[in-house]
Amino acid sequence: MCTPKVFSLYSLTGTLFLLFVYTLLSTQPFFIRGINDVERAKQSALGGMMFFVFSLLGSLSLLLWRNRRGVRNGNGSIVGGGSQYELIDGASEREL
């Protein structure tokens, strides 16, 4: 299930990984075998990283919007809100 929370974690992981790849291609491209055109590989890594950054910003803004508006789930509970439950009658008056 792809919730905004899961999607933001996915986007953050993709951003960090592609930042690592871009940094490696910029500083020490000889560690990555099979790349003929280093500049093209750097551009591809940067483009992918920008996609992940924009999707991260989108999912984080959706999370903030849902928390501020109090959007409800299908079962009626508020997304981002605390758990809403009722105690059984007499539960606080129980004697041990």
Side-chain angles (χ1 to χ4, degrees), residues 24-46:
L24 194 62
L25 285 170
S26 297
T27 58
Q28 301 170 344
F30 50 87
F31 280 122
I32 302 176
R33 292 186 183 188
I35 294 181
N36 297 329
D37 189 6
V38 176
E39 288 302 315
R40 185 170 179 216
K42 284 190 337 186
Q43 289 176 354
S44 295
L46 188 62

Side-chain angles (χ1 to χ4, degrees), residues 49-68:
M49 186 176 65
M50 287 300 121
F51 171 76
F52 278 116
V53 166
F54 288 131
S55 60
L56 177 65
L57 292 175
S59 60
L60 288 177
S61 64
L62 182 62
L63 277 173
L64 290 174
W65 178 75
R66 281 187 171 186
N67 283 338
R68 287 184 185 215

Side-chain angles (χ1 to χ4, degrees), residues 2 4-15 51-52 55-56:
C2 189
K5 198 179 286 188
V6 171
F7 195 65
S8 62
L9 286 173
Y10 169 73
S11 300
L12 179 65
T13 304
T15 300
F51 171 76
F52 278 116
S55 60
L56 177 65

